[in-house]
Amino acid sequence: MEKISIPIDRLGEAYEKMITIRKAEEAFEKVYMDGKIPGFLHLYLGEEAIASGVCMNLKRSDYVTSTHRGHGHFIAKGSDIKKIAAEIMGKETGLCKGRGGSMHMIDVENGLYGSTGIVGGGFPPAVGLGLAAKYKKTGQVSVCFFGDGAVNEGTFHEAINLAAIWSLPIIFICENNLYAQSAPQEYHQKVKDISKRAEGYGIEGETVDGMDIFQIYKASRDAVERARKGFGPTLLECKTYLFTGHYVGDPRNYRYKKEMEYYKNERDCIKIFEEKVLNEKLITKDELMEIERKVERTVDEAIRFAEESSMPDRSEVMKDVY
Amino acid sequence: MSEERKITYAQAIKEAMVQEMQKDKDIIFIGQDISGGAGREKDGLTDTWGGSFGVSKGMSTLLGTNRVIDCPLSEAGYMGAAVSASTTGIKVISELMFNDFLWLAGDQLFNGAAKLRYLSGGTETCRLTVRTVMGGGLNAGMHHSQSLYSLAAHIPGIKVAIPSTPYDAKGMLVAAIRDEDPVIIFENKALYNVEGYVPEELYTVPLGKARIAKEGSDVTIIVMSRMLYVALEAEENLKKNGISAEIIDVRSLVPLDENVIIDSVKKTGHVVIVDEALPRCSAATDLAALVADKSIDYIDGPIKTVTSKPCPVPFSPILEKEYLPSKEDIINAVYEATNREG
């Protein structure tokens, strides 16, 4: 058993990814509360270790399909945070020129084949991307992020079975945050460890602590390696918790106060990382603080860029339909 | 009029369900997060959502979680279950959180529910009422803002209601629950907070009856759902310019009240159809064809349609506004339909 799965020289990168998502989401939340972001906003706060740990094992050309809670996936996979901020504010400089917004983003240049407003909408596209990679022998892998609620959609079953029978290079990453909107996991499905479902499809399955980036990094590294070697898909479940509601403004009154406090105080993936690397003297506090300051500047710049950007030209509403 | 009881469109919908379910124990109500915090009754955490827009908040407490049943994210699964359960003597109200999810639940509704009576030679029916949420204007993006009622209206065997007022929202929902055939009701999310007169007692607004929302003589403006309110604004402007518009609220696409529409068109001789949905193969084109077929000899001018633009619903507020039909669009269409200068 390796003690520290992430190479020492990449610890800063791991921290930077996680803290960038954290700071960006906090900034988006504030901007939303100030009324500068229209529509619905679903944040990734608390789940940062998953996107970060997984995407550290991916190349830019590898594929990712995302969810309605997708900002973290985009940031971790390398999307320009300025363009993300601009997109969720509906600006012309956004990833999708303001056409999509927070829930509907795409960034093909960085391998991101889209977040979606349809729960379970990312499963079949992940299969198609894996199929293309296998057919073209590119060595790419396809990563599909989804939540515990999405596992109850029919597309989960159909897609994972296709991936299994065709032995496609796909990693299904379940971000089990214990809730499907307001429905607790113990109500919406009988199985506790979603990775157990892998057996039913004849593929590899594993459950890890989704608040521990070291576990996530290792498990996803191994799954990516298997996929690249042609050994087919993996279902990797990361147990996590969402620090905010389903959407910004959700009063979370269907959750236990103790549970929310426990996760926030005891199970914060960033605190867990900091404690581990500082205790084991793998990195200094100053180094972490320097990264944090750098990230704060990046996020500030992104918000400023988005705020100062222009709205789309309304005469272009019909552009790009065909 | 001031003493009339006013409640919101959302409250009217809840009242219809509560009163009818209290009266008729054979009705169950299922959908995603319609209660919230499912399974946590003993800790007081259940019934905390009441659906995405809080419409049914309080119902599971009042009627029990055996009758107000939260579903996992399995639209095809629970909608299909609702279809078959509703053939057994119980009546089912099934909520689809957004009509954009019809692509998931659609097979069970359109290949199942809609065809059952015909398939069984008329002996079997689904006592199913689907409540779903349509419409733009809230910057909810392309997967939560579409207006898809014409898809449902295309399929024979399922009735389609699109209420615009709190009064109709209650009365048509009661009528739908009592109807022997499956009915899908498209509620407009931008109307949930609209207030209007709603009687406290149970009543029905029959499916298949249009309503003259405003009497007029120069042009007939046919509307549905939220477009009623946009047309009412346009009507005020038109009046100032000497044009008297009659506004007909279709209320129900299937069955369709052809008589009220045709009588009005024959009276005014000009017609504009306003539909928040997309322009092609739509309710608007369907109504235009009806008007042409049944009253062409009475019409003096083009049959105009005002719809959203044929593109996905854009997120950016400035684009979504451009996408949706506006008061100005209606006014311009009226000028064209009546061959007048704006």
Side-chain angles (χ1 to χ4, degrees):
Chain A
M1 184 77 183
E2 50 196 332
K3 204 171 164 200
I4 291 286
S5 60
I6 301 175
I8 305 287
D9 63 353
R10 295 191 74 189
L11 287 173
E13 183 191 342
Y15 188 65
E16 185 171 331
K17 274 193 194 297
M18 286 197 290
I19 202 100
T20 304
I21 300 171
R22 174 70 52 94
K23 300 274 178 199
E25 292 290 58
E26 286 172 352
F28 296 155
E29 186 176 25
K30 190 177 173 299
V31 177
Y32 186 85
M33 299 305 273
D34 290 344
K36 292 177 191 162
I37 295 176
F40 302 128
L41 191 67
H42 304 83
L43 300 176
Y44 196 67
L45 289 168
E47 304 185 5
E48 295 90 343
I50 305 173
S52 303
V54 170
C55 290
M56 282 182 75
N57 290 298
L58 301 181
K59 298 175 186 165
R60 192 176 183 214
S61 58
D62 287 326
Y63 299 121
V64 163
T65 64
S66 177
T67 67
H68 59 285
R69 198 178 303 290
H71 308 159
H73 308 140
F74 279 70
I75 292 171
K77 187 67 171 47
S79 274
D80 183 344
I81 182 170
K82 284 182 180 166
K83 290 184 182 176
I84 297 173
E87 185 59 33
I88 69 178
M89 287 191 217
K91 301 297 181 75
E92 181 69 18
T93 53
L95 273 178
C96 307
K97 299 181 177 177
R99 270 64 170 174
S102 161
M103 254 197 297
H104 323 80
M105 297 197 294
I106 189 162
D107 181 9
V108 170
E109 225 171 81
N110 286 299
L112 286 145
Y113 277 67
S115 48
T116 171
I118 308 298
V119 172
F123 294 119
V127 174
L129 296 167
L131 180 67
K134 185 174 178 179
Y135 180 72
K136 296 198 279 184
K137 299 189 174 65
T138 59
Q140 289 161 290
V141 299
S142 168
V143 169
C144 176
F145 289 101
F146 56 97
D148 48 302
V151 171
N152 298 326
E153 293 284 2
T155 49
F156 171 81
H157 167 76
E158 297 182 28
I160 208 161
N161 186 57
L162 288 170
I165 61 165
W166 293 334
S167 201
L168 298 179
I170 304 178
I171 302 95
F172 294 94
I173 307 283
C174 181
E175 302 172 321
N176 181 357
N177 63 21
L178 307 181
Y179 291 89
Q181 299 180 137
S182 82
Q185 195 204 356
E186 75 264 13
Y187 176 83
H188 74 67
Q189 53 198 204
K190 281 288 182 191
V191 69
K192 233 183 175 163
D193 292 334
I194 290 167
S195 68
K196 279 188 183 160
R197 298 206 169 173
E199 200 186 333
Y201 299 100
I203 64 168
E204 294 285 330
E206 187 180 355
T207 293
V208 297
D209 179 354
M211 294 305 196
D212 181 351
I213 191 170
F214 296 96
Q215 286 190 34
I216 298 157
Y217 177 88
K218 180 180 180 297
S220 57
R221 180 196 65 196
D222 296 349
V224 167
E225 214 172 279
R226 278 196 300 275
R228 287 204 209 281
K229 283 181 180 160
F231 295 124
T234 300
L235 172 58
L236 175 61
E237 177 192 20
C238 306
K239 298 225 193 251
T240 184
Y241 196 78
L242 189 57
F243 288 172
T244 49
H246 170 64
Y247 57 90
V248 178
D250 172 8
R252 295 187 288 169
N253 46 6
Y254 49 90
R255 298 196 201 172
Y256 298 106
K257 277 206 179 66
K258 265 191 184 162
E259 177 189 273
M260 290 188 277
E261 281 163 15
Y262 165 72
Y263 278 99
K264 186 102 189 164
N265 298 331
E266 313 280 332
R267 304 286 299 130
D268 182 336
C269 60
I270 291 178
K271 281 188 205 157
I272 289 172
F273 175 89
E274 287 169 346
E275 273 167 29
K276 183 158 184 152
V277 294
L278 291 175
N279 283 346
E280 304 198 13
K281 302 197 188 330
L282 302 167
I283 201 165
T284 66
K285 189 145 195 163
D286 282 349
E287 284 173 292
L288 292 182
M289 279 173 67
E290 198 183 314
I291 292 169
E292 190 176 343
R293 276 196 298 272
K294 181 183 143 199
V295 165
E296 277 167 359
R297 282 194 299 275
T298 307
V299 171
D300 284 349
E301 272 170 37
I303 299 291
R304 201 165 44 244
F305 170 81
E307 285 181 340
E308 287 169 1
S309 291
S310 308
M311 280 288 177
D313 180 343
R314 61 196 176 95
S315 71
E316 293 193 344
V317 67
M318 291 279 295
K319 209 178 150 205
D320 298 326
V321 176
Y322 297 102
Chain B
M1 289 293 277
S2 61
E3 285 178 25
E4 282 180 344
R5 192 182 72 126
K6 285 191 173 177
I7 60 174
T8 65
Y9 185 90
Q11 287 164 337
I13 290 162
K14 180 183 169 186
E15 192 169 271
M17 289 193 286
V18 167
Q19 290 179 345
E20 193 67 3
M21 286 179 77
Q22 281 174 330
K23 205 185 84 170
D24 183 349
K25 300 285 186 275
D26 285 338
I27 304 169
I28 61 167
F29 173 32
I30 69 173
Q32 291 166 355
D33 302 282
I34 56 174
S35 171
R40 294 183 169 176
E41 291 94 323
K42 65 175 174 19
D43 299 312
L45 300 177
T46 297
D47 205 3
T48 40
W49 261 41
S52 256
F53 296 90
V55 173
S56 51
K57 198 164 176 184
M59 283 184 65
S60 70
T61 304
L62 192 66
L63 299 159
T65 49
N66 60 329
R67 297 185 70 198
V68 178
I69 305 168
D70 265 347
C71 294
L73 308 185
S74 310
E75 292 84 1
Y78 80 77
M79 193 59 76
V83 172
S84 61
S86 73
T87 64
T88 65
I90 58 174
K91 297 165 194 162
V92 184
I93 305 167
S94 179
E95 178 178 313
L96 190 62
M97 191 177 274
F98 291 93
N99 78 167
D100 313 68
F101 307 165
L102 269 176
W103 305 115
L104 305 171
D107 173 63
Q108 296 293 323
L109 284 175
F110 302 134
N111 283 328
K115 294 174 173 50
L116 182 67
R117 188 193 272 269
Y118 192 79
L119 175 72
S120 65
T123 63
E124 303 301 316
T125 59
C126 300
R127 304 294 300 261
L128 172 69
T129 302
V130 178
R131 287 182 44 234
T132 192
V133 179
M134 59 159 279
L138 300 186
N139 313 121
M142 57 184 66
H143 291 161
H144 289 69
S145 305
Q146 298 170 86
S147 298
L148 298 175
Y149 39 75
S150 35
L151 292 179
H154 188 71
I155 308 296
I158 189 159
K159 296 180 180 176
V160 182
I162 36 176
S164 57
T165 64
Y167 182 91
D168 288 347
K170 179 173 176 182
M172 294 181 86
L173 178 50
V174 175
I177 296 168
R178 294 181 188 173
D179 201 279
E180 284 194 354
D181 284 305
V183 181
I184 178 163
I185 301 184
F186 290 83
E187 298 167 6
N188 195 313
K189 63 172 88 64
L191 296 181
Y192 277 136
N193 293 322
V194 168
E195 286 196 342
Y197 164 61
V198 176
E200 201 157 355
E201 65 276 10
L202 275 170
Y203 61 91
T204 58
V205 171
L207 304 172
K209 292 280 175 215
R211 178 178 78 98
I212 302 172
K214 191 95 197 175
E215 283 196 43
S217 54
D218 296 333
V219 60
T220 298
I221 305 178
I222 304 172
V223 299
M224 52 208 90
S225 192
R226 184 175 68 83
M227 291 302 111
L228 168 67
Y229 302 93
V230 186
L232 284 168
E233 281 179 38
E235 187 267 343
E236 279 188 27
N237 283 47
L238 291 166
K239 195 160 62 187
K240 285 177 198 152
N241 290 315
I243 300 177
S244 162
E246 177 147 294
I247 300 176
I248 306 289
D249 183 355
V250 171
R251 300 204 288 191
S252 159
L253 273 180
V254 182
L256 180 67
D257 188 346
E258 295 187 3
N259 293 338
V260 167
I261 293 167
I262 298 303
D263 288 350
S264 175
V265 173
K266 282 181 178 174
K267 181 176 85 175
T268 64
H270 302 96
V271 63
V272 172
I273 301 152
V274 191
D275 179 0
E276 186 178 333
L278 300 166
R280 293 285 318 280
C281 304
S282 64
T285 54
D286 185 62
L287 291 167
L290 170 79
V291 167
D293 182 30
K294 300 278 170 74
S295 53
I296 194 79
D297 292 341
Y298 297 82
I299 300 173
D300 180 21
I303 301 167
K304 298 300 294 182
T305 60
V306 178
T307 66
S308 288
K309 304 238 174 356
C311 61
V313 188
F315 165 71
S316 189
I318 195 165
L319 293 179
E320 190 181 23
K321 194 165 173 241
E322 185 67 16
Y323 162 87
L324 292 166
S326 68
K327 180 177 82 174
E328 290 70 31
D329 294 336
I330 298 174
I331 291 168
N332 290 337
V334 166
Y335 284 132
E336 287 182 45
T338 54
N339 307 306
R340 296 189 200 207
E341 297 279 319

